[in-house]
Short mmCIF file of all heavy atoms in Angstrom, two decimals:
data_model
loop_
_atom_site.label_atom_id
_atom_site.label_comp_id
_atom_site.label_asym_id
_atom_site.label_seq_id
_atom_site.Cartn_x
_atom_site.Cartn_y
_atom_site.Cartn_z
N GLU A 8 -3.27 3.55 16.81
CA GLU A 8 -3.59 4.38 15.64
C GLU A 8 -5.04 4.19 15.19
O GLU A 8 -5.77 5.16 14.95
CB GLU A 8 -2.62 4.00 14.51
CG GLU A 8 -2.84 4.72 13.21
CD GLU A 8 -2.03 4.11 12.06
OE1 GLU A 8 -1.23 3.18 12.29
OE2 GLU A 8 -2.23 4.56 10.92
N PHE A 9 -5.47 2.92 15.09
CA PHE A 9 -6.78 2.68 14.48
C PHE A 9 -7.93 3.05 15.42
O PHE A 9 -8.98 3.50 14.97
CB PHE A 9 -6.88 1.23 13.99
CG PHE A 9 -5.85 0.94 12.92
CD1 PHE A 9 -4.88 -0.02 13.10
CD2 PHE A 9 -5.83 1.69 11.75
CE1 PHE A 9 -3.92 -0.26 12.13
CE2 PHE A 9 -4.88 1.47 10.77
CZ PHE A 9 -3.91 0.49 10.96
N PHE A 11 -7.76 5.53 17.53
CA PHE A 11 -7.81 6.99 17.42
C PHE A 11 -8.57 7.41 16.16
O PHE A 11 -9.44 8.30 16.21
CB PHE A 11 -6.39 7.56 17.40
CG PHE A 11 -6.34 9.02 17.08
CD1 PHE A 11 -6.71 9.96 18.02
CD2 PHE A 11 -5.94 9.46 15.82
CE1 PHE A 11 -6.68 11.32 17.73
CE2 PHE A 11 -5.92 10.81 15.51
CZ PHE A 11 -6.30 11.74 16.47
N LEU A 12 -8.25 6.75 15.02
CA LEU A 12 -8.90 7.14 13.76
C LEU A 12 -10.39 6.84 13.79
O LEU A 12 -11.19 7.60 13.22
CB LEU A 12 -8.23 6.43 12.58
CG LEU A 12 -6.79 6.89 12.30
CD1 LEU A 12 -6.17 6.07 11.18
CD2 LEU A 12 -6.75 8.38 11.96
N LEU A 15 -11.96 9.72 15.55
CA LEU A 15 -11.94 10.91 14.70
C LEU A 15 -13.04 10.79 13.64
O LEU A 15 -13.74 11.76 13.32
CB LEU A 15 -10.57 10.99 14.04
CG LEU A 15 -10.06 12.34 13.55
CD1 LEU A 15 -10.12 13.38 14.65
CD2 LEU A 15 -8.63 12.19 13.04
N THR A 19 -16.19 13.28 12.83
CA THR A 19 -16.38 13.98 11.55
C THR A 19 -17.68 13.54 10.88
O THR A 19 -18.26 14.31 10.11
CB THR A 19 -15.20 13.74 10.59
OG1 THR A 19 -14.98 12.35 10.47
CG2 THR A 19 -13.94 14.40 11.09
N GLY A 31 -15.35 9.79 3.46
CA GLY A 31 -14.34 10.55 4.20
C GLY A 31 -13.34 9.61 4.85
O GLY A 31 -12.81 8.70 4.20
N ILE A 32 -13.12 9.78 6.15
CA ILE A 32 -12.14 8.95 6.87
C ILE A 32 -12.59 7.49 6.85
O ILE A 32 -13.78 7.21 7.03
CB ILE A 32 -12.02 9.44 8.33
CG1 ILE A 32 -11.47 10.87 8.34
CG2 ILE A 32 -11.18 8.50 9.17
CD1 ILE A 32 -11.41 11.49 9.72
N GLY A 33 -11.66 6.58 6.62
CA GLY A 33 -11.98 5.16 6.73
C GLY A 33 -11.75 4.37 5.47
O GLY A 33 -11.92 3.15 5.48
N ASP A 34 -11.36 5.02 4.39
CA ASP A 34 -11.02 4.25 3.19
C ASP A 34 -9.59 4.62 2.77
O ASP A 34 -8.93 5.41 3.44
CB ASP A 34 -12.04 4.51 2.07
CG ASP A 34 -12.30 3.25 1.26
OD1 ASP A 34 -11.33 2.65 0.77
OD2 ASP A 34 -13.48 2.86 1.13
N ASP A 35 -9.11 4.05 1.67
CA ASP A 35 -7.75 4.36 1.24
C ASP A 35 -7.61 5.80 0.81
O ASP A 35 -6.53 6.39 0.89
CB ASP A 35 -7.35 3.43 0.09
CG ASP A 35 -7.21 2.01 0.57
OD1 ASP A 35 -6.21 1.72 1.24
OD2 ASP A 35 -8.12 1.21 0.33
N ALA A 36 -8.70 6.38 0.32
CA ALA A 36 -8.69 7.77 -0.10
C ALA A 36 -10.11 8.30 0.04
O ALA A 36 -11.06 7.53 0.19
CB ALA A 36 -8.22 7.89 -1.56
N SER A 37 -10.25 9.61 0.00
CA SER A 37 -11.57 10.23 0.11
C SER A 37 -12.15 10.45 -1.28
O SER A 37 -11.43 10.60 -2.26
CB SER A 37 -11.45 11.56 0.84
OG SER A 37 -10.93 11.32 2.12
N VAL A 49 -8.89 11.67 -3.27
CA VAL A 49 -7.78 12.40 -2.64
C VAL A 49 -7.16 11.54 -1.53
O VAL A 49 -7.88 11.01 -0.69
CB VAL A 49 -8.25 13.73 -2.01
CG1 VAL A 49 -7.07 14.54 -1.50
CG2 VAL A 49 -9.08 14.54 -2.99
N THR A 50 -5.82 11.46 -1.52
CA THR A 50 -5.15 10.74 -0.45
C THR A 50 -3.89 11.47 -0.03
O THR A 50 -3.31 12.22 -0.82
CB THR A 50 -4.79 9.30 -0.90
OG1 THR A 50 -4.27 8.60 0.24
CG2 THR A 50 -3.74 9.29 -2.00
N THR A 51 -3.49 11.29 1.22
CA THR A 51 -2.24 11.87 1.70
C THR A 51 -1.51 10.86 2.58
O THR A 51 -2.13 10.07 3.27
CB THR A 51 -2.52 13.17 2.49
OG1 THR A 51 -1.31 13.65 3.07
CG2 THR A 51 -3.56 12.99 3.58
N ASP A 52 -0.18 10.84 2.48
CA ASP A 52 0.64 9.89 3.23
C ASP A 52 1.90 10.56 3.75
O ASP A 52 2.56 11.29 3.03
CB ASP A 52 1.05 8.72 2.33
CG ASP A 52 0.02 7.63 2.33
OD1 ASP A 52 -0.03 6.89 3.32
OD2 ASP A 52 -0.74 7.54 1.35
N VAL A 77 3.62 5.39 -2.45
CA VAL A 77 2.68 5.01 -1.39
C VAL A 77 1.32 5.68 -1.59
O VAL A 77 0.28 5.08 -1.31
CB VAL A 77 3.26 5.31 0.02
CG1 VAL A 77 4.49 4.47 0.29
CG2 VAL A 77 3.58 6.79 0.22
N ASP A 81 -2.67 4.13 -2.90
CA ASP A 81 -4.01 4.38 -2.33
C ASP A 81 -5.00 4.82 -3.41
O ASP A 81 -6.18 4.49 -3.34
CB ASP A 81 -3.92 5.44 -1.23
CG ASP A 81 -3.46 4.85 0.10
OD1 ASP A 81 -3.85 3.70 0.41
OD2 ASP A 81 -2.72 5.53 0.81
N ARG A 156 -13.79 0.03 0.45
CA ARG A 156 -13.48 -1.17 1.22
C ARG A 156 -14.77 -1.90 1.61
O ARG A 156 -14.71 -3.05 2.04
CB ARG A 156 -12.73 -0.78 2.51
CG ARG A 156 -11.35 -0.19 2.26
CD ARG A 156 -10.70 0.25 3.57
NE ARG A 156 -9.36 0.80 3.35
CZ ARG A 156 -8.59 1.30 4.30
NH1 ARG A 156 -9.00 1.30 5.56
NH2 ARG A 156 -7.39 1.77 4.01
N ILE A 233 -8.51 -2.69 -1.26
CA ILE A 233 -7.62 -1.99 -0.33
C ILE A 233 -6.20 -2.26 -0.83
O ILE A 233 -5.98 -3.27 -1.50
CB ILE A 233 -7.83 -2.52 1.12
CG1 ILE A 233 -7.03 -1.70 2.15
CG2 ILE A 233 -7.48 -3.99 1.24
CD1 ILE A 233 -7.42 -2.01 3.60
N ASP A 234 -5.26 -1.38 -0.55
CA ASP A 234 -3.88 -1.72 -0.91
C ASP A 234 -3.18 -2.31 0.33
O ASP A 234 -3.57 -2.04 1.47
CB ASP A 234 -3.12 -0.52 -1.49
CG ASP A 234 -2.81 0.54 -0.45
OD1 ASP A 234 -3.66 0.77 0.43
OD2 ASP A 234 -1.71 1.11 -0.51
N SER A 236 -0.63 -2.08 2.59
CA SER A 236 0.43 -1.25 3.17
C SER A 236 0.79 -1.74 4.56
O SER A 236 1.96 -1.75 4.92
CB SER A 236 -0.01 0.22 3.21
OG SER A 236 -1.24 0.36 3.89
N ASP A 237 -0.19 -2.17 5.34
CA ASP A 237 0.11 -2.62 6.71
C ASP A 237 0.45 -4.11 6.76
O ASP A 237 1.20 -4.54 7.63
CB ASP A 237 -1.10 -2.35 7.62
CG ASP A 237 -1.42 -0.86 7.73
OD1 ASP A 237 -0.49 -0.06 7.61
OD2 ASP A 237 -2.59 -0.52 7.92
N ASP A 242 -4.80 -5.65 6.62
CA ASP A 242 -5.57 -4.96 5.59
C ASP A 242 -6.83 -5.74 5.20
O ASP A 242 -7.87 -5.15 4.92
CB ASP A 242 -4.67 -4.66 4.38
CG ASP A 242 -3.62 -3.60 4.73
OD1 ASP A 242 -3.98 -2.62 5.40
OD2 ASP A 242 -2.45 -3.76 4.34
N HIS A 245 -9.31 -4.80 7.75
CA HIS A 245 -9.94 -3.50 7.48
C HIS A 245 -11.06 -3.66 6.45
O HIS A 245 -12.16 -3.12 6.62
CB HIS A 245 -8.93 -2.50 6.91
CG HIS A 245 -7.86 -2.09 7.88
ND1 HIS A 245 -8.11 -1.78 9.19
CD2 HIS A 245 -6.53 -1.92 7.72
CE1 HIS A 245 -6.97 -1.45 9.80
NE2 HIS A 245 -6.00 -1.53 8.92
P1 ADP B 18 -3.81 3.95 4.31
O1 ADP B 18 -2.95 2.94 5.00
O2 ADP B 18 -4.69 3.40 3.27
O3 ADP B 18 -3.02 5.16 3.83
P2 ADP B 18 -4.42 4.89 6.91
O4 ADP B 18 -4.42 3.65 7.74
O5 ADP B 18 -3.23 5.76 6.92
O6 ADP B 18 -4.81 4.50 5.41
O7 ADP B 18 -5.67 5.79 7.30
C1 ADP B 18 -6.94 5.21 7.48
C2 ADP B 18 -7.98 6.28 7.29
O8 ADP B 18 -7.84 7.29 8.27
C3 ADP B 18 -7.87 6.99 5.94
O9 ADP B 18 -9.18 7.20 5.46
C4 ADP B 18 -7.22 8.31 6.29
O10 ADP B 18 -7.61 9.35 5.42
C5 ADP B 18 -7.72 8.58 7.69
N1 ADP B 18 -6.78 9.38 8.50
C6 ADP B 18 -5.53 9.04 8.88
N2 ADP B 18 -4.96 10.00 9.60
C7 ADP B 18 -5.86 11.03 9.67
C8 ADP B 18 -5.87 12.32 10.26
N3 ADP B 18 -4.81 12.77 10.92
N4 ADP B 18 -6.97 13.09 10.09
C9 ADP B 18 -8.03 12.64 9.41
N5 ADP B 18 -8.09 11.43 8.84
C10 ADP B 18 -7.03 10.61 8.96
#
Side-chain angles (χ1 to χ4, degrees):
E8 178 191 355
F9 298 119
F11 171 75
L12 292 176
L15 204 53
T19 52
I32 296 175
D34 216 306
D35 292 285
S37 300
V49 187
T50 186
T51 174
D52 272 284
V77 296
D81 279 323
R156 294 177 179 178
I233 187 169
D234 71 322
S236 54
D237 297 331
D242 291 318
H245 293 317

